[in-house]
Amino acid sequence: MTRTRIFGGVRPTEHLTLADYLGALRRWADEDQHRAEALFCVVDLHALTVDHDPARVRRLSRQAVTLLLAVGLDPRQCTVFVQSHVAEHTRLAYLMECTAGDDEMRRMVQYREKAERERARGGSVRLSLLTSPALMAADVLAYGTDEVAVGEGQAQHLELTRDLAVRFNQRYGQTFVVPRATCPAEVTRVMDLQDPASAMGTSPARRAGVVHLLDEAEAVREKVMGAVTDAGPDVVYDRAARPGVANLLDVLAACDGGDPEKLAAEYDSYGALKKDTAEAVVELLRPVRERHAELVADPGYVDSVLRDGAGRARGMARPRVDAAYRGVGLLPVG
Ligand code: TRP
């Protein structure tokens, strides 16, 4: 029996956050890499779909890889690699562009909203932003992926990936596994500490509401202690009416494995809740930060992980992408 294949992608556009950790990375490290054949990829090509600073993308890519290892992904258990190191992604993305319709791409909400915003300012988005769902489909389909861990924001893109897989298989013969999205319900959705209506890390302007994985303890305390809470004196867990307090309770519960409603009963002031939450986050992130520092001091090790990861990923993707090339009618080398 072949093991379930999982693909997880992180974009090196921003620093990784507490929301990334509690929403995905922790589970990748604790569960997914052990139960499945898992690939975790820093999708650097996707970082070029928006205005970017080359030095920053380079820095954030390296940091993302190092953080994936620091949170506990073990290269003996899973494959950690950088997308641009494996040419199969772009090779297959072209075939995905030949499978998708332009209307289908233009319907993607993420593209429409961004394009709209840019147009309102008299600018435009990069063509690669429009076609990025084809690249994402290639990322996933190249590996015969069964499961993809995606946040709500990516659900539409994964639906498109599934459509493209089915269509390609119908047109050219069985080539791709049709992947399913896993949006684990029990995973904590961490909201911005300053704006608990938005997911943490989704509004770049709000630095004070975002805890980054590499934040110093003092910075974490400052951000958590400065979190907006709601009107009303008592601590109750009510996501709709008291989103600020509920977010703190969710974070505290996610750190310590507790239940947010039960935790609410233990507090009679926001101050005490914030203080405990801040300390819980500091302790949660401490080993990650320490491990990250060790890895930064050992660049040769990180390089070797990337080399091995790229080699393994290439080996997994190559046969399927070659088969897809033959399937659409391209002449084999011979
Ligand atoms: N497009 C995703 C994002 O914007 C990142 C991503 C790229 C991805 N390829 C992927 C996620 C493959 C899951 C699987 O966040």
Side-chain angles (χ1 to χ4, degrees), residues 7-11 43 46 83 110 135-136 139-140 148-150 154 157:
F7 187 97
V10 293
R11 246 169 78 139
V43 289
H46 288 271
Q83 182 189 30
Q110 197 182 59
L135 178 60
M136 177 167 161
D139 297 339
V140 170
V148 188
V150 289
Q154 294 300 314
H157 291 160

Side-chain angles (χ1 to χ4, degrees), residues 19 90 136 157 330-331:
T90 45
M136 177 167 161
H157 291 160
L330 296 170
L331 191 63

Side-chain angles (χ1 to χ4, degrees), residues 98-117:
C98 296
T99 307
D102 79 308
D103 52 335
E104 215 164 25
M105 292 289 167
R106 285 179 214 285
R107 267 203 300 275
M108 294 293 117
V109 172
Q110 197 182 59
Y111 163 77
R112 281 203 343 228
E113 287 180 349
K114 184 124 189 37
E116 188 88 6
R117 271 201 305 276

Side-chain angles (χ1 to χ4, degrees), residues 71-222:
V71 302
L73 293 185
D74 177 353
R76 289 164 305 187
Q77 300 287 339
C78 64
T79 302
V80 176
F81 70 108
V82 171
Q83 182 189 30
S84 64
H85 295 177
V86 180
E88 269 50 44
H89 292 252
T90 45
R91 280 182 76 210
L92 184 55
Y94 182 67
L95 297 198
M96 291 297 121
E97 288 182 19
C98 296
T99 307
D102 79 308
D103 52 335
E104 215 164 25
M105 292 289 167
R106 285 179 214 285
R107 267 203 300 275
M108 294 293 117
V109 172
Q110 197 182 59
Y111 163 77
R112 281 203 343 228
E113 287 180 349
K114 184 124 189 37
E116 188 88 6
R117 271 201 305 276
E118 291 300 324
R119 252 195 304 276
R121 279 195 245 145
S124 74
V125 294
R126 295 183 178 183
L127 179 58
S128 57
L129 184 75
L130 174 61
T131 58
S132 66
L135 178 60
M136 177 167 161
D139 297 339
V140 170
L141 299 181
Y143 297 98
T145 303
D146 300 291
E147 282 182 21
V148 188
V150 289
E152 282 165 53
Q154 294 300 314
Q156 194 186 24
H157 291 160
L158 198 79
E159 247 342 282
L160 180 57
T161 297
R162 290 164 54 85
D163 290 346
L164 295 178
V166 169
R167 191 177 310 152
F168 191 101
N169 288 343
Q170 279 168 353
R171 280 190 193 157
Y172 308 111
Q174 184 61 37
T175 310
F176 298 116
V177 174
V178 182
R180 59 183 177 276
T182 51
C183 261
E186 69 272 26
V187 149
T188 311
R189 189 147 181 267
V190 181
M191 311 308 278
D192 189 295
L193 297 169
Q194 293 296 318
D195 170 22
S198 315
M200 182 181 280
T202 55
S203 63
R206 285 194 198 81
R207 289 269 161 235
V210 179
V211 175
H212 295 112
L213 292 190
L214 291 176
D215 279 348
E216 305 272 344
E218 259 329 293
V220 173
R221 290 191 186 102
E222 215 169 282

